[in-house]
Structures are given as structure tokens and as C-alpha cells.
Amino acid sequence: MFSKKNLSLIIGLVLIVCVAVYINWRYADIGTAANAESERESYGEAEFVNSSGGTYFEQARLTRKTTRDDAVEQLQEIADNPNAAQEAKEQAVATMADYARYTETEGRIENLIKAKGFDECVVFIASDSVSVVVRTEGLSDTDAAKITDIVVREAQVPASKLHIIEIK
């Protein structure tokens, strides 16, 4: 069904997308390994991390956008390739649509969380989980519930797939 060239292109693209998702996921956890025992406490799904956080949120958004743009560019090459199998083209278009939906939902969730009184946040949506990094000086159970409510409603994921990370 697939030629070797198309198959290796699809496999390479899937690997790149997986690496991009992993990098975004790890980027959300920056600082936690270095501060592991001395500056980190974990209460359920919320993680509390001490960090200056100065440009973290801007950098995280930029990295998220750059990674997605690169993946979409490669997906677009597959979709535009006249030699690519129809199934590969359809999968590329579907993945691009998913990325567009993730981007829109991330922005909406970030704005709603800020509207609830949080200074800054960044959201990372993957196919199977959502991570929210929020700046606050103490995440109460009420605050965590507000964030959880927004994410569950807007991203339509179960609360068990949500990870809240606090940057102080």
C-alpha cells in the first residue's frame, strides 16, 4: 500500500512529532529535576516549583509555536506531495487539524485561567494529556479546582489527564 519512501517519510514524521510533544512536555517540567528535593513539594496532581519564571512563559509559548510550526510544515509537505499515498495525505491533514484545534484550545484555556485571577499561565495540549503551568504564590485546592474545571470543560479531557504545575 505504501512505497518504502512514503512509509519512511511517515515514520520519520511520526518520530519528529513524538519528539516535539516530548520536548514540550519536558519543557513544562524545566527546573523540577534541579530543584527536586529542596524546592519541590507534590500534592496530588499539582506540583509546586520555585523559579524566577521571568521569561519562562514567553519562552514556553515560543517553543510550543516553533515546534508546532515545524511539524505542520512537514505535514504540509506530505499533504502536497503528489507521490504520497492518499492515506498518508489524509493522516497529515487530520494531524494538522488536530494541531490547529490544540492551538485554539490552549489560547482559550490560557485566557480563561487568567480571567480567574492568575497572573500568567501556559497550556500544553497533547493527544492524551494537558499540562498547565501557572504562576501563583500558593495554589489552593479552590484554585486547582478552578483550573481543572476550565481544562476539563474546554479541552474535553478527564481530570486524571490534567497536570497542574505551579511556578512561584
Side-chain angles (χ1 to χ4, degrees):
M1 176 181 282
F2 292 110
S3 70
K4 283 187 174 185
K5 183 178 179 182
N6 285 343
L7 186 58
S8 52
L9 183 63
I10 290 170
I11 290 171
L13 181 60
V14 168
L15 288 173
I16 289 170
V17 170
C18 290
V19 168
V21 169
Y22 176 76
I23 289 170
N24 275 335
W25 175 74
R26 286 296 291 170
Y27 197 82
D29 283 339
I30 282 211
T32 58
N35 299 326
E37 293 301 320
S38 63
E39 299 182 37
R40 179 177 163 198
E41 301 173 38
S42 180
Y43 298 99
E45 290 299 314
E47 293 183 23
F48 301 92
V49 181
N50 272 337
S51 173
S52 61
T55 61
Y56 169 78
F57 294 96
E58 296 162 357
Q59 189 64 37
R61 282 190 197 94
L62 179 62
T63 301
R64 178 182 67 192
K65 181 182 181 332
T66 303
T67 303
R68 282 229 180 105
D69 288 348
D70 291 345
V72 167
E73 183 178 319
Q74 292 178 2
L75 289 166
Q76 189 65 50
E77 288 176 13
I78 292 173
D80 293 342
N81 184 347
N83 297 327
Q86 186 61 31
E87 187 176 326
K89 290 180 179 186
E90 290 171 2
Q91 182 63 37
V93 169
T95 303
M96 286 189 290
D98 287 343
Y99 286 164
R101 189 175 61 253
Y102 293 165
T103 301
E104 177 186 352
T105 304
E106 287 165 343
R108 191 171 54 246
I109 291 170
E110 288 171 5
N111 288 332
L112 290 170
I113 290 172
K114 288 178 186 177
K116 291 291 184 179
F118 294 94
D119 291 334
E120 189 64 89
C121 71
V122 65
V123 177
F124 300 97
I125 297 178
S127 61
D128 63 344
S129 67
V130 177
S131 295
V132 177
V133 181
V134 63
R135 181 189 321 255
T136 181
E137 287 300 320
L139 190 67
S140 67
D141 290 342
T142 304
D143 291 338
K146 289 177 188 177
I147 293 170
T148 301
D149 179 57
I150 291 169
V151 172
V152 167
R153 183 180 67 242
E154 296 297 324
Q156 300 177 350
V157 297
S160 62
K161 299 292 185 175
L162 168 63
H163 306 283
I164 302 171
I165 302 164
E166 178 187 13
I167 293 184
K168 295 183 179 182

